[in-house]
């Protein structure tokens, strides 16, 4: 009987080494669909505490979406030597300042992915859950020119904490600053004058790990940065959950929120193969009949030839 040869170079999550000086000592994993043409987008997706790159990339639905919509997926991974719970260090100034630590490592991963795949540098997006969501805020604040948009899932605003002790207060009950105070933290992070990344904010209303109040503070921060009102331009429901959008004078949505009623701490998913479904249930990967990753791909027009 003839042996069947395995498919050549089938797409899979692969580790990438030598992506830069890597001052944050992170690991880089990447999923590149077979036959991916040049000029496609890049999505950076960051796991939460106790998770790893592959588990989050698969569980949140990002790997299957990268295959479906044809984009490069970058999956940074924290190591226990850096943080015992494998949380990204979103609260340490040495890891959140432009050009330093973990933030710089992830920025280097983005540059490597763009170089390797010929991706469109104007169509790079970043998202993450919990500590990964907080690190998403960090990257949007520290490297705003690098990202067209972000998706914060159960995260906190940029500049919310500068120590581990402060981080716990920031997570719950959260900090209540004015929109201008929040916006100033972003503006003070560098010399960027805009345009600024768009932001989609996802949070469970019953999240007692990272308080739901953080969603409101994120809205205040990023509407202030964009110079638009922090009252919604429109509200509706998506899959039965409250959704609000904040638009500029041209009608473009710059900030949006999804409030997942009754959900605790985790990533919203909706396992299945139908349009709009994605993800696999697991710890902090919660089947609530809406897949955040799929909706982010829609917000970012990832399935289209151009934004």
């Amino acid at each position: 009987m003839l042996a069947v040869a395995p498919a050549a170079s089938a797409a899979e999550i692969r580790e990438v080494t030598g992506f830069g000086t890597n001052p944050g000592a992170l690991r880089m994993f990447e999923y590149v669909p077979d036959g991916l043409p040049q000029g496609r987008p890049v999505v950076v997706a960051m796991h939460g505490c106790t998770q790893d790159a592959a588990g989050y990339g698969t569980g949140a639905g990002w790997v299957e979406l990268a295959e479906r919509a044809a984009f490069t997926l970058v999956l940074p991974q924290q190591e226990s030597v850096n943080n015992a719970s494998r949380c990204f260090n979103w609260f340490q100034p040495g890891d959140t300042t432009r050009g330093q630590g973990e933030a710089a490592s992830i920025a280097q991963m983005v540059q490597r992915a763009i170089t390797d795949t010929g991706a469109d540098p104007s169509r790079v997006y970043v998202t993450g859950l919990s500590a990964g969501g907080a690190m998403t805020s960090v990257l949007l604040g520290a490297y705003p020119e690098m990202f067209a948009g972000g998706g914060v899932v159960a995260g906190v605003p940029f500049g919310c904490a500068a120590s581990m002790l402060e981080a716990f207060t920031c997570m719950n009950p959260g900090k209540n600053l004015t929109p201008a105070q929040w916006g100033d933290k972003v503006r003070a992070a560098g010399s960027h004058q805009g345009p600024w990344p768009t932001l989609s904010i996802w949070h469970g209303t019953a999240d007692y790990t990272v308080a739901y109040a953080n969603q409101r503070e994120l809205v205040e921060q990023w509407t202030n940065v964009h110079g638009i009102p922090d009252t919604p331009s429109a509200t509706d429901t998506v899959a039965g959950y409250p959704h609000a959008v904040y638009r500029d004078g041209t009608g473009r949505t710059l900030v949006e929120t999804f409030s997942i009623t009754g959900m605790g701490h985790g990533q919203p998913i909706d396992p299945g193969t139908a349009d709009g479904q994605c993800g696999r249930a697991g710890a902090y990967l919660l089947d609530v009949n809406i897949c955040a990753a799929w909706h982010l791909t829609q917000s970012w027009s990832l399935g289209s030839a151009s934004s």
Side-chain angles (χ1 to χ4, degrees), residues 111-130:
Q111 295 295 350
R112 174 64 185 269
I114 291 171
T115 299
D116 284 354
T117 65
D120 183 349
S122 71
R123 302 184 69 200
V124 179
Y125 303 88
V126 59
T127 184
L129 164 66
S130 190

Side-chain angles (χ1 to χ4, degrees), residues 47-52 77-80 83-88 131:
H47 64 79
C49 300
T50 74
Q51 296 177 319
D52 61 21
Q77 181 167 295
Q78 181 61 286
E79 295 296 287
S80 56
N83 183 295
S85 298
R86 297 200 303 278
C87 311
F88 291 102

Side-chain angles (χ1 to χ4, degrees), residues 228-266:
I228 60 175
D230 63 2
T231 52
S233 305
T235 59
D236 61 358
T237 59
V238 177
Y241 297 113
H243 171 239
V245 296
Y246 302 76
R247 299 179 176 130
D248 65 10
T250 71
R252 182 180 180 225
T253 296
L254 300 179
V255 178
E256 68 174 348
T257 60
F258 289 83
S259 300
I260 310 304
T261 314
M263 188 183 80
H265 188 63

Side-chain angles (χ1 to χ4, degrees), residues 39-207:
R40 296 300 298 153
V42 174
V43 172
V44 181
M46 293 179 286
H47 64 79
C49 300
T50 74
Q51 296 177 319
D52 61 21
Y56 179 69
T58 301
W62 281 113
V63 171
E64 61 189 284
L65 291 167
E67 188 67 34
R68 280 192 232 168
F71 58 84
T72 295
L73 178 64
V74 175
L75 298 164
Q77 181 167 295
Q78 181 61 286
E79 295 296 287
S80 56
V81 68
N82 299 327
N83 183 295
S85 298
R86 297 200 303 278
C87 311
F88 291 102
N89 287 310
W90 57 269
F91 47 84
Q92 299 284 15
D95 284 307
T96 63
T97 302
R98 184 183 179 93
Q100 297 183 30
E102 293 175 14
S105 289
I106 297 164
Q108 290 174 356
M109 295 180 197
V110 171
Q111 295 295 350
R112 174 64 185 269
I114 291 171
T115 299
D116 284 354
T117 65
D120 183 349
S122 71
R123 302 184 69 200
V124 179
Y125 303 88
V126 59
T127 184
L129 164 66
S130 190
M135 189 56 83
T136 296
S137 293
V138 166
L139 289 166
L140 295 175
Y143 292 92
E145 80 290 349
M146 184 173 281
F147 300 99
V152 173
V153 183
V156 300
F158 175 74
C160 192
S163 69
M164 184 176 290
L165 182 62
E166 196 178 9
F168 286 108
T169 299
C170 181
M171 290 162 60
N172 197 338
K175 284 188 178 180
N176 183 12
L177 303 184
T178 67
Q181 287 173 322
W182 282 126
D184 285 346
K185 289 180 179 292
V186 175
R187 288 182 285 269
S191 58
H192 188 67
Q193 298 296 310
W196 297 93
T198 62
L199 182 63
S200 182
I201 310 160
W202 294 71
H203 219 116
T205 63
D207 188 336

